[in-house]
Amino acid sequence: MQGTTSATDTAETQAGAGNTAQALVVFTPSGRRGRFALGTPVLTAARQLGVDLDSVCGGRGICSKCQIAPGFGEFAKHGVTSRPEALSAWNSVEQRYKDKRGLIDGRRLGCQARIMGDVVIDVPPESQLHRQVIRKDADARPVAMNPATRLYYVEVAQPDMHDPSGDLERLADALRLQWQIDAVTAAPAVLRKLQPALRQGGWAVSVAIYRDHQGGPARVLDIWPGFHDGGLYGLAVDLGSTTIAAHLTDLSDGRVLAASGVMNPQIRFGEDLMSRVSYAMMNPGGDVEMTRAVHSAINALAWSVAAEAGIDTALIMEMVLVCNPVMHHLFLGIDPVELGQAPFALATSSALALPAREAGIDALNAEARLYILPCIAGHVGADAAAVALAQAPQESDDLVLIVDVGTNAEILLGNREKVLACSSPTGPAFEGAQISSGQRAAPGAIERVEIDPVTKEPRFRVIGCSIWSDEPGFAEAAGPAGVTGICGSGIIEAVAEMRMAGIVDAAGLIGSAAQLGSDRLIAEGRTQAYVLHDARATGGPLISVTQGDIRAIQLAKAALYAGARLLMDELGVDRVDRVVLAGAFGAHVSAKHAMVLGMIPDCRLDAVTSAGNAAGTGARLALCNIDARAGIEAEVARIHKIETAIEPRFQEHFVAASALPHASDPFPELAQVVTLPQVTHNTGGSGAEGGRRRRAR
Amino acid sequence: MQGTTSATDTAETQAGAGNTAQALVVFTPSGRRGRFALGTPVLTAARQLGVDLDSVCGGRGICSKCQIAPGFGEFAKHGVTSRPEALSAWNSVEQRYKDKRGLIDGRRLGCQARIMGDVVIDVPPESQLHRQVIRKDADARPVAMNPATRLYYVEVAQPDMHDPSGDLERLADALRLQWQIDAVTAAPAVLRKLQPALRQGGWAVSVAIYRDHQGGPARVLDIWPGFHDGGLYGLAVDLGSTTIAAHLTDLSDGRVLAASGVMNPQIRFGEDLMSRVSYAMMNPGGDVEMTRAVHSAINALAWSVAAEAGIDTALIMEMVLVCNPVMHHLFLGIDPVELGQAPFALATSSALALPAREAGIDALNAEARLYILPCIAGHVGADAAAVALAQAPQESDDLVLIVDVGTNAEILLGNREKVLACSSPTGPAFEGAQISSGQRAAPGAIERVEIDPVTKEPRFRVIGCSIWSDEPGFAEAAGPAGVTGICGSGIIEAVAEMRMAGIVDAAGLIGSAAQLGSDRLIAEGRTQAYVLHDARATGGPLISVTQGDIRAIQLAKAALYAGARLLMDELGVDRVDRVVLAGAFGAHVSAKHAMVLGMIPDCRLDAVTSAGNAAGTGARLALCNIDARAGIEAEVARIHKIETAIEPRFQEHFVAASALPHASDPFPELAQVVTLPQVTHNTGGSGAEGGRRRRAR
């Protein structure tokens, strides 16, 4: 978001101009350059030029954060000839550090190496204070580190009876002089640590200082005697209706050290959000019970990831939370009932920054801070804000539709000019719930389905097994549990394949075509069901897609499509340039099948991408960079919110979208589908491939 | 401290200048005046002119805080003829209020009465927002109300699906528009109350808003549906080594509703401060134990004063604490050991503003705030700062010496030009401790002593009994407990009277004068003791002043005197203009006897006054006015601190001051003593009076 490293400064800074013996120093990659008196430490020169060179100990040869890589030779580009003698000799501090911790050959400590002649000095990425976070998702924008909580090593003046002042006041003076940090405060619990730490550390301490992005006073969160090299950590938590995921992140470089997820324990109070709201309405104190359950789960997650990474939870100084509005209220202990009825008023929509303990999170450092991203509207939560932060539609040149599918779908549409947001009540069908053979995505769940359009025979793959059901060895590979049900992405594929094979008609009716006559169709009350897997003979389940399942998927996909269309209407567009599917569902659903079903509006198939857990990524960005917090708060205020519940056109789109389109329906892109690489089925044989080619013709 | 009421504005404000029909309004006592369109409510006019007229409900006829007293007739001074028809007719809102709560005849509600002609309007003191606190101590400066926590009634917009925003955000908008309060925050526990309060109150709520004096964000501490008329309260706590006193104060007008005191439960860990520091050093966890004990005691005091005043403790929104440095650390849970040894470094010396709960005080409102006055130095605490706040030496034209006597004496010396502070280790003798027959000030303790210089016979009075010991009915009046010991003020008088009667010589030796031969003198080891009261025959105590007692008083008074002299040396003066004796001891000690003993430097006896519990008064001032907080913080930074422990001259003064002067020594003022009215003994008969006259000759 910010980058002092990218700024260049062609005018040479004249430091100590009265000094006759000076040398020219050029820093790369920034290109910043200046003249300095001989003997100036490289770190000092870097600071004076505003070069992004890290240091925690303030140049005392303790922290080694200021490692530099001097370059020697002719640098025509910079007009400098840099000789080995341009830096002072390797010294004992550097040797001691190298012996103890190791130092890459050619590296020096910037606080020890002094400028003795013209020199070119490279600041390697890991020595940059605002170093970029490494992100796995390729399309994501890079982000620089700028966490709210940082570690500072300070040397504090000893008490003086002739000029009495408190230890905290002398620490504050030292922070002001040595780190330009004004006005620190500290809780009594931290004050208790200050006296012994100062005396044990010989009047030098390391302090974890929290500064918000709104100019509030700096706060000492913790204190260690001398130089603390245990690191500082943050926890990014994505609190979903069904699962809670936590990423333990190093606050110095943004690395994820451990990640873990658990089921949301509130599930025992209701599978979906509205049933939890009902629980709160029907059971006095029910919301308190649900709040406690989620606090316990997050505290346990914190212990678990810290144990996995081998760090002390007391070093977790910050937590960032993203979640939908109902989870947001239940987490904060606010009755969610208002969110279950018009006008869907949030108790608060702003971002929240507060002590984590105040919100029931006590597994972290006692003074740890909690940041909760802003909610966009009553149905569009902090999780949607986190998706917006990770995907930045407001920075997109082309028109992007971002869909985060869960029990509610959060939908963002926009580009540089305008961003719209809404939420659509898709229900839990996409998560495998309320589907007759549905289950959550877990081993044994059918996740991939193909149906031969001629024979109407299915083949499928289950989670945890790479062999298709019609291939040799499937029974063994699927394990003793075998095939247990259908997950969300499996039901999408099953219904889409049933439609493409003619088993389901455009209205969604199973077996309406007279000529079918497949023994895969069985009677299910007054309607029919399509059997995917029948293990009843061996005591296993009958796994089928019923007429009710089709209806549930029709309702869900119509809601999703209608929400997207509503935003498109609002912008006055008929097509979007690209579609991003966020969330676990988005990562696993096949774009082709989603489009066959009519879940998402027309778009080139190769312009449909998955963003993975974009909400979780947004949480980590907010953890690593306070500018990201300020940025998303400003952006959420700008986002145009649409309430689907009161838009008559939403109902119209919803009704119109309940039909199931087909490859020969107005989806010409589908003709290209089979040749696209992102159709990621592990094809087991040419038969299925042939079947699909036939469809595409 | 501040007074918008005292400002006058002779230029008439032209409000609504484009309106033809206008009337002239003059407000008294401020003298502010302006022209307003006919029909303008008086409250509106007052606000536009900056007149100090209170209102909690914002002009909705609910709170009645804006009562005004219109004056009718010729006002030559203001050039206005004010007729009864100059205000709109008495209306139903006013009648309803009068029927329900009562309204003084001639009063109107400023929000209901509208300006219909030229008029003079008086704002009675109780309708002034910055009304002055009524203080009992006559010499104290008046202070205007400006508490950190105030009540506001607001009407909040209802949620709108078309423009979604949270309840808190709409409350913030309303506070901004209706009360010019920016950027409010609220804890989760308060957010939980917001939704139901808004709906129950029909989208109107009363909120308690805390704003510090450093421009921090406004904070919602509590919320009530509709108009809350239960008041808001504050607790001023004077945490002494021996006793804890609490004053429950109404935050709207500064009235003390209830006061209570308890023994400091830390006494069981050590009578004096240094023995508590030792306890903390010798017993691991001992400081935690002492901290818990004092938190419990303060919580219990809060319950007790609230019960006495008949209010809910949840309406106590603020607490202000004053105490000495050791109590300060023990209250905050900070190990006090550093305060027991040079360089006497405080963990923090600044004022502290924090949630009361964070400091272990949970009997108040859950969001209640705690303010602790700054400490001046390692031995000069927040209690001394509170004395400075109450007595304001920095505003004194003459040179004032302020002495707060306890186990340590806090001493302030100064005037407008400069203020000095130090602390002197008097020990507990002045509190009746470490005196052979000593006891705390309680019924049965000897508090007044006279000794006939001829017969050497004593007479005395005990606390809780107005009859002198040599008067008829004393035994009955003193009650079954009878005479139990000597309190601090009693021992001062006893030693001073012994000196004046020649029983003790200038070196402090008892019975050195050969001709004494009184049977009141008894052997006490190798020294002698003077018997004040002997009830051994009836199983009662023998109460005497021993040689050891004299030595303890000599040490204590020498320390006090040396501290004061040290400050005088620093200022280069030989005399002070006046002396203020603060604290419980200061309230009871006889100025004459103190001066006979040489406790305080030379001064006219009538320039010695008692300030009562000045520390407690300072705490109440800080509770009632945030400007007082800002003021004392700035003043404490300016006060020149002297550390007695490292000043060689302190030792010199101390040694020189151990002698006991006499009426015929260099204290010419003592010649006038007996005729001065402030010698407040209840004289029981002419004999004693005659005795004293004889001495004075």
Side-chain angles (χ1 to χ4, degrees):
Chain A
M1 319 282 301
Q2 81 172 53
T4 51
T5 56
S6 63
T8 56
D9 184 358
T10 48
E12 285 175 11
T13 296
Q14 295 287 337
N19 212 320
T20 47
Q22 288 198 325
L24 175 64
V25 184
V26 179
F27 286 96
T28 60
S30 66
R32 290 180 187 241
R33 54 200 286 143
R35 291 192 169 275
F36 292 89
L38 300 189
T40 304
V42 173
L43 177 62
T44 305
R47 288 202 163 177
Q48 289 188 21
L49 291 173
V51 168
D52 186 31
L53 178 55
D54 198 0
S55 170
V56 166
C57 73
R60 297 182 182 87
I62 301 172
C63 73
S64 85
K65 298 277 184 186
C66 65
Q67 290 181 26
I68 50 154
F72 301 115
E74 288 277 350
F75 290 87
K77 178 186 169 194
H78 304 300
V80 176
T81 302
S82 180
R83 297 179 214 283
E85 59 269 29
L87 288 184
S88 60
W90 177 257
N91 75 11
S92 61
V93 172
E94 293 171 293
Q95 187 61 46
R96 193 171 60 232
Y97 187 84
K98 184 167 187 168
D99 293 346
K100 205 170 153 195
R101 307 278 179 98
L103 199 59
I104 296 170
D105 281 344
R107 291 277 175 89
R108 300 286 305 270
L109 294 186
C111 60
Q112 301 302 314
R114 291 166 180 276
I115 296 158
M116 305 306 291
D118 294 353
V119 66
V120 174
I121 290 171
D122 187 57
V123 179
E126 61 272 27
S127 296
Q128 294 168 14
L129 177 62
H130 299 283
R131 64 183 77 91
Q132 290 185 352
V133 179
I134 296 142
R135 292 179 57 187
K136 289 171 188 163
D137 33 345
D139 67 325
R141 298 156 308 136
V143 68
M145 290 305 295
N146 191 17
T149 305
R150 298 187 66 92
L151 191 68
Y152 297 91
Y153 174 84
V154 270
E155 293 178 351
V156 177
Q158 295 191 32
D160 176 0
M161 278 189 290
H162 296 275
D163 182 17
S165 76
D167 286 342
L168 179 65
E169 287 68 28
R170 275 174 281 107
L171 171 65
D173 288 345
L175 284 167
R176 194 178 303 114
L177 282 170
Q178 295 166 36
W179 293 105
Q180 293 74 52
I181 295 171
D182 272 342
V184 294
T185 65
V190 175
L191 274 176
R192 278 166 216 155
K193 296 182 177 185
L194 178 58
Q195 282 194 331
L198 280 171
R199 285 151 184 87
Q200 194 183 326
W203 303 98
V205 288
S206 299
V207 286
I209 302 263
Y210 166 84
R211 276 180 296 183
D212 68 22
H213 56 286
Q214 296 172 318
R219 202 166 166 81
V220 182
L221 299 188
D222 213 340
I223 302 172
W224 297 267
F227 182 71
H228 164 80
D229 55 3
L232 297 182
Y233 306 92
L235 196 67
V237 175
D238 180 8
L239 169 56
S241 313
T242 308
T243 58
I244 311 176
H247 287 79
L248 182 68
T249 305
D250 189 319
L251 288 181
S252 72
D253 58 12
R255 274 181 311 136
V256 174
L257 302 179
S260 185
V262 292
M263 297 300 290
N264 186 329
Q266 292 179 343
I267 285 175
R268 68 173 182 271
F269 306 104
E271 282 268 337
D272 60 275
L273 292 175
M274 283 308 123
S275 58
R276 288 181 212 167
V277 172
S278 300
Y279 183 84
M281 289 175 77
M282 310 298 285
N283 299 277
D287 52 338
V288 176
E289 210 177 341
M290 288 191 275
T291 296
R292 287 209 188 113
V294 79
H295 291 172
S296 299
I298 293 176
N299 283 321
L301 261 182
W303 285 107
S304 149
V305 291
E308 188 186 331
I311 67 142
D312 184 348
T313 50
L315 296 176
I316 305 179
M317 311 308 292
E318 289 208 62
M319 169 171 148
V320 167
L321 179 76
V322 300
C323 52
N324 62 54
V326 172
M327 294 312 307
H328 178 271
H329 278 40
L330 283 175
F331 175 83
L332 290 169
I334 300 169
D335 190 330
V337 168
E338 291 297 330
L339 299 173
Q341 60 202 27
F344 315 109
L346 289 154
T348 181
S349 52
S350 305
L352 295 173
L354 66 163
R357 267 182 181 275
E358 215 171 85
I361 303 303
D362 52 14
L364 319 180
N365 183 288
E367 297 295 314
R369 300 290 304 188
L370 168 64
Y371 178 77
I372 306 178
L373 270 75
C375 290
I376 299 177
H379 280 144
V380 192
D383 48 358
V387 169
L389 173 56
Q391 289 295 316
Q394 75 279 5
E395 293 178 17
S396 175
D397 289 319
D398 48 12
L399 186 64
V400 59
L401 177 74
I402 305 169
V403 177
D404 192 356
V405 177
T407 309
N408 280 286
E410 272 79 53
I411 309 172
L412 294 161
L413 174 69
N415 56 20
R416 287 189 184 282
E417 286 166 35
K418 190 175 189 179
V419 176
L420 309 175
C422 75
S423 146
S424 195
T426 47
F430 289 153
E431 297 179 303
Q434 296 179 8
I435 296 294
S436 60
S437 296
Q439 69 160 90
R440 279 191 214 97
I446 293 173
E447 61 163 347
R448 288 276 175 270
V449 178
E450 292 183 357
I451 298 176
D452 187 304
V454 176
T455 65
K456 319 297 183 199
E457 280 301 299
R459 63 199 292 263
F460 55 82
R461 238 175 53 194
V462 297
I463 294 176
C465 172
S466 60
I467 300 175
W468 284 82
S469 61
D470 59 351
E471 292 172 343
F474 172 76
E476 295 72 31
V483 184
T484 52
I486 315 175
C487 73
S489 62
I491 191 72
I492 299 292
E493 298 206 357
V495 176
E497 292 280 328
M498 284 167 72
R499 174 74 187 108
M500 289 190 285
I503 299 166
V504 164
D505 66 17
L509 197 62
I510 298 179
S512 63
Q515 77 281 17
L516 277 174
S518 164
D519 59 1
R520 286 277 167 181
L521 287 181
I522 59 170
E524 172 86 12
R526 291 189 297 180
T527 57
Q528 296 188 77
Y530 175 77
V531 176
L532 277 173
H533 178 70
D534 185 354
R536 286 176 298 181
T538 58
L542 172 76
I543 297 173
S544 65
V545 178
T546 67
Q547 188 62 57
D549 297 343
I550 302 282
R551 293 295 178 226
I553 291 296
Q554 278 180 291
L555 291 176
K557 75 101 187 177
L560 179 55
Y561 184 84
R565 282 299 316 187
L566 190 65
L567 297 190
M568 291 166 70
D569 286 356
E570 192 73 25
L571 268 194
V573 298
D574 268 333
R575 290 182 65 90
V576 299
D577 296 324
R578 59 190 177 96
V579 175
V580 175
L581 298 173
F585 176 84
H588 293 102
V589 77
S590 143
K592 178 190 74 169
H593 292 103
M595 218 173 279
V596 165
L597 271 191
M599 279 177 67
I600 50 176
D602 298 9
C603 180
R604 279 184 55 88
L605 255 191
D606 61 355
V608 181
T609 54
S610 162
N613 182 2
T617 301
R620 272 187 293 137
L621 295 183
L623 194 56
C624 292
N625 195 311
I626 51 172
D627 305 322
R629 300 182 189 182
I632 193 59
E633 288 175 21
E635 181 54 28
V636 162
R638 276 190 299 264
I639 287 177
H640 192 74
K641 295 100 186 165
I642 310 286
E643 178 50 64
T644 52
I646 53 166
E647 286 285 345
R649 278 172 308 165
F650 178 78
Q651 292 302 325
E652 292 164 23
H653 283 305
F654 181 78
V655 171
S658 66
L660 298 173
H662 183 265
S664 60
D665 287 353
F667 286 89
E669 296 85 350
L670 291 181
Q672 311 166 26
V673 169
V674 290
T675 58
L676 286 175
Q678 79 271 26
V679 180
T680 55
H681 293 258
N682 280 345
T683 50
S686 59
E689 202 59 30
R692 265 188 273 138
R693 276 202 201 94
R694 276 196 295 282
R695 279 206 305 274
R697 271 181 217 118
Chain B
M1 314 281 297
Q2 80 173 49
T4 51
T5 56
S6 63
T8 55
D9 185 357
T10 47
E12 285 175 12
T13 296
Q14 294 287 337
N19 212 320
T20 47
Q22 287 197 327
L24 176 63
V25 183
V26 179
F27 285 95
T28 58
S30 65
R32 290 181 188 240
R33 55 201 286 145
R35 291 195 169 273
F36 293 89
L38 299 190
T40 304
V42 172
L43 178 61
T44 305
R47 289 201 162 175
Q48 289 188 22
L49 292 174
V51 168
D52 186 31
L53 177 56
D54 198 0
S55 170
V56 166
C57 73
R60 296 183 182 86
I62 300 172
C63 73
S64 84
K65 298 277 185 186
C66 64
Q67 292 181 26
I68 50 154
F72 301 115
E74 287 278 349
F75 290 88
K77 177 185 170 194
H78 303 300
V80 176
T81 302
S82 180
R83 297 177 215 284
E85 59 270 29
L87 288 184
S88 61
W90 177 258
N91 75 11
S92 60
V93 171
E94 293 171 294
Q95 187 60 45
R96 194 169 60 234
Y97 186 82
K98 184 167 187 171
D99 293 345
K100 208 168 151 193
R101 307 277 179 101
L103 200 59
I104 295 172
D105 281 343
R107 291 277 175 89
R108 300 287 305 268
L109 295 185
C111 59
Q112 301 301 315
R114 292 167 181 275
I115 296 158
M116 306 305 291
D118 293 356
V119 67
V120 174
I121 290 171
D122 187 56
V123 178
E126 61 271 31
S127 296
Q128 293 169 14
L129 178 60
H130 299 284
R131 64 182 77 93
Q132 290 184 352
V133 179
I134 296 142
R135 291 179 58 187
K136 289 174 191 163
D137 32 346
D139 67 325
R141 299 157 307 134
V143 68
M145 290 304 295
N146 190 18
T149 305
R150 298 186 65 93
L151 190 68
Y152 297 91
Y153 174 83
V154 270
E155 293 180 352
V156 178
Q158 297 191 29
D160 175 0
M161 278 189 288
H162 297 275
D163 182 17
S165 78
D167 286 342
L168 179 64
E169 288 68 27
R170 275 173 283 107
L171 171 66
D173 289 344
L175 284 167
R176 195 177 302 114
L177 283 170
Q178 295 166 37
W179 293 104
Q180 292 76 52
I181 295 171
D182 272 343
V184 294
T185 65
V190 175
L191 274 177
R192 277 167 216 152
K193 296 183 179 183
L194 177 58
Q195 283 193 331
L198 279 172
R199 285 151 185 87
Q200 195 184 324
W203 303 98
V205 288
S206 298
V207 287
I209 303 263
Y210 166 83
R211 278 180 294 184
D212 67 22
H213 55 288
Q214 297 172 319
R219 203 166 165 81
V220 182
L221 299 189
D222 212 339
I223 302 172
W224 296 267
F227 182 71
H228 165 79
D229 55 3
L232 297 182
Y233 305 92
L235 197 66
V237 176
D238 180 7
L239 170 55
S241 312
T242 308
T243 57
I244 311 175
H247 287 78
L248 181 68
T249 306
D250 188 320
L251 288 181
S252 72
D253 58 13
R255 274 181 309 137
V256 174
L257 302 179
S260 186
V262 292
M263 296 301 289
N264 187 329
Q266 293 179 342
I267 284 174
R268 67 173 183 269
F269 306 105
E271 282 267 339
D272 60 276
L273 292 174
M274 283 309 122
S275 59
R276 289 180 212 168
V277 173
S278 302
Y279 183 85
M281 289 175 79
M282 311 299 283
N283 300 277
D287 53 340
V288 176
E289 211 178 340
M290 287 191 276
T291 296
R292 286 210 189 111
V294 80
H295 290 173
S296 299
I298 293 176
N299 283 321
L301 261 184
W303 285 107
S304 148
V305 289
E308 187 186 332
I311 67 143
D312 185 348
T313 50
L315 295 176
I316 306 178
M317 311 308 291
E318 290 207 63
M319 169 171 149
V320 167
L321 180 75
V322 300
C323 52
N324 62 53
V326 172
M327 293 313 307
H328 178 272
H329 279 38
L330 283 175
F331 175 82
L332 289 168
I334 301 168
D335 191 331
V337 168
E338 291 298 331
L339 299 174
Q341 58 202 28
F344 315 108
L346 288 155
T348 182
S349 53
S350 305
L352 295 173
L354 67 162
R357 267 182 181 277
E358 218 171 83
I361 302 303
D362 52 15
L364 320 181
N365 183 288
E367 297 295 315
R369 302 289 304 187
L370 169 64
Y371 178 77
I372 306 179
L373 270 75
C375 290
I376 298 176
H379 280 145
V380 192
D383 48 358
V387 169
L389 174 56
Q391 288 296 317
Q394 74 280 4
E395 294 177 16
S396 175
D397 290 319
D398 49 11
L399 187 63
V400 58
L401 176 74
I402 305 168
V403 177
D404 191 355
V405 176
T407 309
N408 280 284
E410 271 81 52
I411 309 171
L412 294 161
L413 174 69
N415 56 19
R416 288 189 184 283
E417 285 167 36
K418 191 175 188 179
V419 176
L420 310 176
C422 76
S423 146
S424 194
T426 46
F430 289 152
E431 297 178 306
Q434 295 180 10
I435 295 295
S436 61
S437 296
Q439 69 159 86
R440 282 193 213 97
I446 293 173
E447 61 165 347
R448 289 274 174 273
V449 178
E450 293 183 355
I451 299 176
D452 187 303
V454 175
T455 65
K456 318 297 182 198
E457 279 301 298
R459 64 199 291 263
F460 55 82
R461 237 174 54 193
V462 296
I463 294 176
C465 172
S466 61
I467 298 174
W468 284 82
S469 63
D470 59 351
E471 292 173 343
F474 172 75
E476 295 71 33
V483 184
T484 52
I486 314 176
C487 73
S489 62
I491 191 74
I492 298 294
E493 298 205 357
V495 177
E497 292 280 328
M498 284 166 74
R499 175 72 187 109
M500 289 190 286
I503 299 166
V504 165
D505 67 15
L509 197 62
I510 298 179
S512 62
Q515 77 282 18
L516 275 174
S518 163
D519 59 2
R520 287 277 165 181
L521 286 180
I522 59 172
E524 171 89 11
R526 290 191 296 179
T527 57
Q528 298 188 78
Y530 175 77
V531 176
L532 277 173
H533 178 69
D534 186 354
R536 286 177 296 182
T538 57
L542 172 75
I543 298 172
S544 63
V545 178
T546 66
Q547 188 62 57
D549 297 342
I550 303 281
R551 294 294 177 227
I553 291 295
Q554 279 179 291
L555 291 176
K557 75 102 187 176
L560 178 56
Y561 184 84
R565 283 299 314 185
L566 190 65
L567 297 190
M568 291 165 72
D569 285 356
E570 193 71 26
L571 268 194
V573 298
D574 269 334
R575 290 181 66 91
V576 299
D577 296 322
R578 57 191 178 97
V579 175
V580 175
L581 298 173
F585 176 84
H588 293 103
V589 75
S590 142
K592 177 190 74 169
H593 292 103
M595 219 173 278
V596 165
L597 272 190
M599 280 175 68
I600 49 175
D602 296 10
C603 179
R604 277 185 56 86
L605 255 191
D606 60 356
V608 181
T609 54
S610 162
N613 182 1
T617 300
R620 273 187 293 137
L621 295 185
L623 193 58
C624 291
N625 196 313
I626 52 173
D627 304 323
R629 300 182 188 183
I632 193 60
E633 288 176 22
E635 181 54 28
V636 163
R638 277 191 298 264
I639 287 177
H640 193 72
K641 295 101 187 164
I642 310 287
E643 178 50 66
T644 52
I646 53 168
E647 286 285 347
R649 278 172 306 164
F650 178 78
Q651 292 302 325
E652 292 165 22
H653 284 303
F654 181 77
V655 171
S658 65
L660 297 174
H662 184 268
S664 60
D665 288 351
F667 288 89
E669 296 84 352
L670 289 182
Q672 311 166 25
V673 169
V674 289
T675 57
L676 285 176
Q678 80 270 28
V679 179
T680 55
H681 294 259
N682 279 345
T683 49
S686 61
E689 200 61 26
R692 265 188 272 138
R693 277 202 201 95
R694 277 194 296 281
R695 279 204 305 276
R697 272 182 215 118

